[in-house]
Short mmCIF file of all heavy atoms in Angstrom, two decimals:
data_model
loop_
_atom_site.label_atom_id
_atom_site.label_comp_id
_atom_site.label_asym_id
_atom_site.label_seq_id
_atom_site.Cartn_x
_atom_site.Cartn_y
_atom_site.Cartn_z
N PRO A 243 -14.23 6.56 25.29
CA PRO A 243 -14.24 7.15 23.94
C PRO A 243 -15.46 6.81 23.10
O PRO A 243 -15.64 7.37 22.02
CB PRO A 243 -12.96 6.61 23.31
CG PRO A 243 -12.67 5.35 24.04
CD PRO A 243 -13.18 5.55 25.43
N VAL A 244 -16.31 5.91 23.58
CA VAL A 244 -17.56 5.59 22.88
C VAL A 244 -18.69 5.82 23.87
O VAL A 244 -18.68 5.26 24.96
CB VAL A 244 -17.56 4.12 22.38
CG1 VAL A 244 -18.87 3.79 21.70
CG2 VAL A 244 -16.38 3.87 21.43
N VAL A 245 -19.65 6.67 23.47
CA VAL A 245 -20.72 7.05 24.39
C VAL A 245 -22.08 7.05 23.70
O VAL A 245 -22.17 7.26 22.50
CB VAL A 245 -20.48 8.45 25.01
CG1 VAL A 245 -19.24 8.47 25.88
CG2 VAL A 245 -20.41 9.53 23.95
N ASP A 246 -23.09 6.82 24.50
CA ASP A 246 -24.46 7.10 24.09
C ASP A 246 -24.92 8.27 24.97
O ASP A 246 -24.14 8.78 25.78
CB ASP A 246 -25.35 5.87 24.21
CG ASP A 246 -25.47 5.32 25.63
OD1 ASP A 246 -24.95 5.97 26.59
OD2 ASP A 246 -26.05 4.25 25.81
N VAL A 247 -26.16 8.68 24.83
CA VAL A 247 -26.64 9.84 25.59
C VAL A 247 -26.60 9.57 27.09
O VAL A 247 -26.21 10.43 27.88
CB VAL A 247 -28.05 10.26 25.13
CG1 VAL A 247 -28.61 11.34 26.04
CG2 VAL A 247 -28.01 10.76 23.71
N ALA A 249 -24.58 7.60 28.77
CA ALA A 249 -23.19 7.66 29.24
C ALA A 249 -22.71 9.11 29.27
O ALA A 249 -22.01 9.52 30.20
CB ALA A 249 -22.28 6.81 28.36
N VAL A 265 -23.06 16.52 23.32
CA VAL A 265 -22.69 15.61 22.22
C VAL A 265 -22.76 16.36 20.89
O VAL A 265 -21.85 16.27 20.06
CB VAL A 265 -23.59 14.36 22.21
CG1 VAL A 265 -23.44 13.60 20.90
CG2 VAL A 265 -23.28 13.46 23.40
N GLU A 269 -19.84 16.94 18.29
CA GLU A 269 -20.00 16.41 16.93
C GLU A 269 -19.73 17.52 15.92
O GLU A 269 -19.02 17.32 14.94
CB GLU A 269 -21.39 15.81 16.76
CG GLU A 269 -21.55 15.01 15.48
CD GLU A 269 -22.88 14.27 15.41
OE1 GLU A 269 -23.82 14.62 16.16
OE2 GLU A 269 -22.97 13.36 14.58
N LEU A 274 -16.50 14.19 18.09
CA LEU A 274 -17.30 12.96 18.10
C LEU A 274 -17.88 12.72 16.71
O LEU A 274 -18.17 13.67 15.98
CB LEU A 274 -18.45 13.06 19.09
CG LEU A 274 -18.12 12.95 20.56
CD1 LEU A 274 -19.37 13.20 21.42
CD2 LEU A 274 -17.53 11.58 20.89
N SER A 275 -18.07 11.43 16.39
CA SER A 275 -18.77 11.07 15.16
C SER A 275 -19.74 9.94 15.49
O SER A 275 -19.48 9.11 16.36
CB SER A 275 -17.79 10.64 14.08
OG SER A 275 -17.03 9.53 14.49
N LEU A 276 -20.85 9.96 14.78
CA LEU A 276 -21.87 8.95 14.98
C LEU A 276 -21.35 7.62 14.45
O LEU A 276 -20.77 7.55 13.36
CB LEU A 276 -23.14 9.37 14.23
CG LEU A 276 -24.43 8.63 14.54
CD1 LEU A 276 -24.79 8.74 16.02
CD2 LEU A 276 -25.56 9.19 13.68
N VAL A 277 -21.56 6.56 15.22
CA VAL A 277 -21.13 5.22 14.80
C VAL A 277 -22.20 4.67 13.88
O VAL A 277 -23.38 4.61 14.24
CB VAL A 277 -20.94 4.30 16.03
CG1 VAL A 277 -20.60 2.89 15.58
CG2 VAL A 277 -19.86 4.85 16.94
N ALA A 278 -21.80 4.26 12.70
CA ALA A 278 -22.74 3.69 11.73
C ALA A 278 -23.07 2.25 12.09
O ALA A 278 -22.26 1.54 12.69
CB ALA A 278 -22.13 3.75 10.33
N GLY A 279 -24.25 1.84 11.74
CA GLY A 279 -24.64 0.45 11.91
C GLY A 279 -25.14 0.06 13.28
O GLY A 279 -25.36 -1.10 13.55
N VAL A 280 -25.31 1.03 14.17
CA VAL A 280 -25.83 0.73 15.49
C VAL A 280 -27.36 0.66 15.38
O VAL A 280 -28.00 1.57 14.87
CB VAL A 280 -25.41 1.82 16.52
CG1 VAL A 280 -26.04 1.56 17.87
CG2 VAL A 280 -23.90 1.85 16.63
N ARG A 281 -27.93 -0.44 15.85
CA ARG A 281 -29.36 -0.67 15.67
C ARG A 281 -30.22 -0.03 16.75
O ARG A 281 -31.33 0.40 16.49
CB ARG A 281 -29.63 -2.16 15.63
CG ARG A 281 -28.91 -2.84 14.48
CD ARG A 281 -29.26 -4.27 14.44
NE ARG A 281 -30.48 -4.38 13.62
CZ ARG A 281 -31.00 -5.49 13.24
NH1 ARG A 281 -30.45 -6.62 13.60
NH2 ARG A 281 -32.08 -5.52 12.51
N TRP A 282 -29.76 0.00 17.96
CA TRP A 282 -30.58 0.48 19.08
C TRP A 282 -29.98 1.75 19.66
O TRP A 282 -28.99 1.72 20.36
CB TRP A 282 -30.67 -0.59 20.18
CG TRP A 282 -31.11 -1.90 19.63
CD1 TRP A 282 -30.33 -3.00 19.47
CD2 TRP A 282 -32.39 -2.26 19.14
NE1 TRP A 282 -31.06 -4.01 18.90
CE2 TRP A 282 -32.33 -3.59 18.69
CE3 TRP A 282 -33.60 -1.58 19.02
CZ2 TRP A 282 -33.42 -4.25 18.15
CZ3 TRP A 282 -34.67 -2.25 18.47
CH2 TRP A 282 -34.58 -3.56 18.06
N GLY A 283 -30.58 2.88 19.38
CA GLY A 283 -30.09 4.14 19.92
C GLY A 283 -28.87 4.63 19.15
O GLY A 283 -28.27 3.91 18.36
N ARG A 284 -28.51 5.84 19.42
CA ARG A 284 -27.34 6.41 18.76
C ARG A 284 -26.12 6.31 19.66
O ARG A 284 -26.22 6.48 20.88
CB ARG A 284 -27.61 7.87 18.38
CG ARG A 284 -28.68 7.98 17.31
CD ARG A 284 -28.86 9.40 16.85
NE ARG A 284 -29.36 10.22 17.94
CZ ARG A 284 -29.47 11.54 17.89
NH1 ARG A 284 -29.12 12.19 16.81
NH2 ARG A 284 -29.94 12.21 18.92
N VAL A 285 -24.99 6.06 19.04
CA VAL A 285 -23.72 5.92 19.74
C VAL A 285 -22.69 6.75 18.98
O VAL A 285 -22.63 6.71 17.75
CB VAL A 285 -23.27 4.44 19.81
CG1 VAL A 285 -21.89 4.31 20.43
CG2 VAL A 285 -24.29 3.60 20.56
N TRP A 286 -21.88 7.50 19.74
CA TRP A 286 -20.84 8.33 19.15
C TRP A 286 -19.47 7.85 19.61
O TRP A 286 -19.33 7.27 20.69
CB TRP A 286 -21.01 9.79 19.58
CG TRP A 286 -22.24 10.42 19.03
CD1 TRP A 286 -22.34 11.17 17.89
CD2 TRP A 286 -23.55 10.39 19.61
NE1 TRP A 286 -23.63 11.58 17.72
CE2 TRP A 286 -24.40 11.11 18.76
CE3 TRP A 286 -24.10 9.79 20.75
CZ2 TRP A 286 -25.75 11.28 19.01
CZ3 TRP A 286 -25.45 9.95 21.01
CH2 TRP A 286 -26.26 10.68 20.14
N GLN A 287 -18.48 8.11 18.79
CA GLN A 287 -17.11 7.73 19.13
C GLN A 287 -16.16 8.91 18.95
O GLN A 287 -16.36 9.75 18.08
CB GLN A 287 -16.64 6.57 18.26
CG GLN A 287 -16.54 6.90 16.79
CD GLN A 287 -16.12 5.72 15.94
OE1 GLN A 287 -15.74 4.68 16.46
NE2 GLN A 287 -16.20 5.88 14.63
N ALA A 288 -15.14 8.92 19.79
CA ALA A 288 -14.04 9.87 19.65
C ALA A 288 -12.95 9.10 18.91
O ALA A 288 -12.10 8.45 19.53
CB ALA A 288 -13.56 10.36 21.01
#
Side-chain angles (χ1 to χ4, degrees):
V244 178
V245 295
D246 61 7
V247 172
V265 166
E269 191 173 18
L274 285 175
S275 60
L276 193 59
V277 176
V280 176
R281 299 183 88 172
W282 308 108
R284 293 185 295 172
V285 175
W286 293 265
Q287 65 182 351

